[in-house]
């Protein structure tokens, strides 16, 4: 039993001297002077309202520090940060400002809270470039598709509110943007009124700071659809004064789809079908028909006759 206790005491003594020696060795090593090169982050504060940092500005500064290990170890665990106050800069021109670093590195020592020496730093002057934030109003382009249920449709189609958004950013960015686009939405089997807030895509607007509003209200009024038709007279245009022309037929049928709620609002006066006599040729007795006017509230409009026949009755 005494023999076991004796061995255990020897182990304790050995561990004590091992720990003590290690601590003493570390203390000696950390007491020595070293140099260390650090990459510091640059942060600018108190930027004036309506201004934004130019992407070309420096974001890093390489600094070489000298001192014992105890002083350097505090900057070994994380990337240090150097803060520059815009209000303490010197104006170079309308958009550029300068920060001068003293040769002794006292500014860097204060910012890093470092008690050793600043041996060197990458540059002794930092240039801050600012860009002016501008606004631009652009139209909103929808990326919404609809499939109506059989027998249903919309007389007015898709509507959005508002139809434009205001974007903010620097001139170079805003000049390249002609419109903004909504997120993609697909709606199938639509048979009742639909309304939803749809966000505007930001992933394609690199450099845009804000967009107002960031969404639009999209809506579609849906109604039961039916087929309608009208008999419309053909208007013959560009007939010379010296000629008298007869056409066959004089009227044509127009077929279309329309909402039941708009069915009674459609009349033949809403349509215009034209044949252009200037397109006539000697070897062809037919003229193509063109539907020049029809109401926006109807869909799938088609002429049952694509052409008419003409005859020269009198040539003066």
């Amino acid at each position: 039993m005494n023999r076991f206790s004796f061995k255990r005491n020897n182990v304790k003594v050995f561990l004590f001297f091992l720990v003590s020696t290690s601590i003493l060795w570390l203390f000696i090593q950390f007491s020595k002077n070293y140099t260390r090169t650090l990459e510091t982050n640059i942060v600018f504060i108190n930027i004036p309202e309506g201004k934004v940092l130019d992407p070309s500005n420096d974001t890093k500064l390489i600094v070489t520090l000298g001192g014992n290990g105890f002083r350097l170890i505090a900057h070994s665990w994380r990337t240090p940060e150097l803060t520059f106050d815009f209000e303490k800069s010197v104006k170079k021109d309308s958009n550029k400002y300068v920060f001068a670093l003293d040769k002794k590195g006292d500014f860097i020592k204060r910012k890093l809270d470092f008690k050793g020496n600043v041996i060197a730093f990458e540059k002794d002057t930092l240039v801050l470039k600012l860009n002016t934030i501008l606004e631009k109003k652009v139209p909103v382009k929808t990326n919404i598709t609809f499939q109506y249920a059989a027998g249903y449709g919309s007389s007015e189609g898709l509507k959005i509110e508002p139809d434009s958004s205001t974007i903010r950013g620097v001139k170079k960015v805003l000049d390249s943007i002609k419109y903004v686009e909504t997120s993609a939405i697909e709606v199938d089997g639509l048979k009742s009124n639909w309304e939803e807030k749809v966000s505007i895509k930001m992933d394609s607007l690199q450099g845009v700071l804000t967009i107002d509003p960031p969404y639009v209200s999209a809506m579609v009024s849906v109604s039961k659809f039916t087929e309608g038709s009208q008999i419309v007279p053909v208007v013959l245009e560009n007939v010379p004064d010296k000629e008298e022309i007869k056409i066959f037929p004089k009227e044509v049928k127009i077929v279309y789809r329309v909402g039941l709620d708009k069915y009674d609002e459609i009349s033949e006066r809403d349509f215009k079908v034209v044949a252009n006599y200037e397109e006539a040729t000697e070897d062809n007795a037919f003229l193509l028909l063109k539907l020049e006017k029809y109401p926006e509230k109807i869909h799938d409009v088609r002429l049952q006759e694509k052409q008419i026949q003409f005859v020269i009755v009198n040539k003066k």
Side-chain angles (χ1 to χ4, degrees):
M1 186 71 176
N2 290 335
R3 189 176 179 182
F4 175 75
S5 299
F6 175 76
K7 288 183 178 180
R8 186 171 61 182
N9 289 336
N10 285 344
V11 172
K12 288 182 178 179
V13 172
F14 172 77
L15 291 176
F16 172 77
F17 279 105
L18 178 62
V19 172
S20 300
T21 304
S22 299
I23 292 174
L24 180 61
W25 181 85
L26 287 173
F27 182 81
I28 293 172
Q29 295 303 315
F30 275 92
S31 298
K32 294 179 181 180
N33 287 328
Y34 300 91
T35 60
R36 179 152 187 247
T37 300
L38 300 175
E39 184 180 69
T40 64
N41 290 329
I42 296 176
V43 178
F44 297 103
I45 61 173
N46 292 327
I47 302 301
E49 187 176 353
K51 298 286 186 178
V52 66
L53 298 176
D54 189 88
S56 65
N57 288 330
D58 290 324
T59 58
K60 305 286 184 181
L61 181 66
I62 306 299
V63 177
T64 302
L65 303 179
N68 61 45
F70 293 106
R71 289 172 176 169
L72 291 174
I73 195 171
H75 300 290
S76 300
W77 312 115
R78 60 184 177 85
T79 303
E81 191 173 271
L82 292 175
T83 302
F84 293 87
D85 191 336
F86 169 82
E87 295 177 355
K88 296 180 180 179
S89 64
V90 177
K91 191 171 185 178
K92 186 176 182 181
D93 58 36
S94 59
N95 286 317
K96 290 184 179 179
Y97 302 83
V98 175
F99 296 90
L101 303 178
D102 59 281
K103 294 182 179 180
K104 295 181 179 179
D106 291 338
F107 173 83
I108 295 176
K109 289 171 65 174
R110 288 196 309 271
K111 289 296 182 181
L112 298 181
D113 192 22
F114 183 64
K115 304 302 182 184
N117 299 317
V118 176
I119 298 174
F121 38 90
E122 189 178 15
K123 55 183 70 175
D124 57 10
T125 302
L126 287 179
V127 177
L128 168 64
K129 185 178 179 181
L130 298 179
N131 292 322
T132 302
I133 299 175
L134 303 175
E135 291 186 352
K136 180 181 179 180
K137 198 170 186 179
V138 292
V140 176
K141 183 178 178 180
T142 60
N143 193 13
I144 305 171
T145 57
F146 293 93
Q147 292 292 335
Y148 297 99
Y152 289 84
S154 175
S155 299
E156 300 174 348
L158 176 67
K159 289 185 176 182
I160 59 169
E161 293 181 1
D163 60 1
S164 60
S165 287
T166 300
I167 54 177
R168 297 176 71 246
V170 299
K171 185 177 186 301
K172 183 178 180 181
V173 172
L174 298 190
D175 286 347
S176 66
I177 299 175
K178 306 303 180 186
Y179 61 87
V180 293
E181 190 174 5
T182 67
S183 300
I185 291 182
E186 294 183 3
V187 184
D188 295 324
L190 199 59
K191 59 170 61 177
S192 60
N193 293 346
W194 177 87
E195 182 173 358
E196 188 172 316
K197 284 187 176 180
V198 184
S199 62
I200 293 174
K201 291 196 300 185
M202 290 294 292
D203 53 358
S204 61
L205 302 177
Q206 299 298 324
V208 172
L209 300 177
T210 61
I211 181 167
D212 183 38
Y215 59 84
V216 296
S217 294
M219 61 205 78
V220 177
S221 296
V222 180
S223 60
K224 189 76 174 177
F225 263 45
T226 187
E227 186 172 89
S229 63
Q230 298 289 335
I231 303 298
V232 179
V234 176
V235 178
L236 185 61
E237 294 183 336
N238 297 316
V239 178
D241 294 336
K242 297 179 180 181
E243 294 184 8
E244 182 180 351
I245 307 298
K246 296 290 185 181
I247 57 175
F248 306 95
K250 295 182 179 180
E251 298 178 325
V252 292
K253 186 176 183 180
I254 299 175
V255 181
Y256 52 85
R257 292 177 65 246
V258 62
L260 284 174
D261 55 336
K262 305 291 183 182
Y263 183 84
D264 293 333
E265 299 178 9
I266 309 299
S267 71
E268 68 174 65
R269 293 186 299 274
D270 298 318
F271 300 86
K272 184 178 180 181
V273 179
V274 172
N276 187 358
Y277 185 68
E278 285 185 345
E279 297 176 356
T281 60
E282 293 182 0
D283 57 348
N284 192 350
F286 294 90
L287 293 173
L288 293 177
L289 296 177
K290 181 179 179 182
L291 181 60
E292 282 198 348
K293 187 181 79 168
Y294 63 89
E296 292 184 357
K297 63 186 74 175
I298 65 175
H299 300 269
D300 302 329
V301 189
R302 63 188 186 277
L303 288 165
Q304 282 201 332
E305 299 289 340
K306 303 297 182 183
Q307 61 185 13
I308 58 171
Q309 189 175 8
F310 72 93
V311 175
I312 301 175
V313 176
N314 186 21
K315 200 168 188 177
K316 300 178 183 178

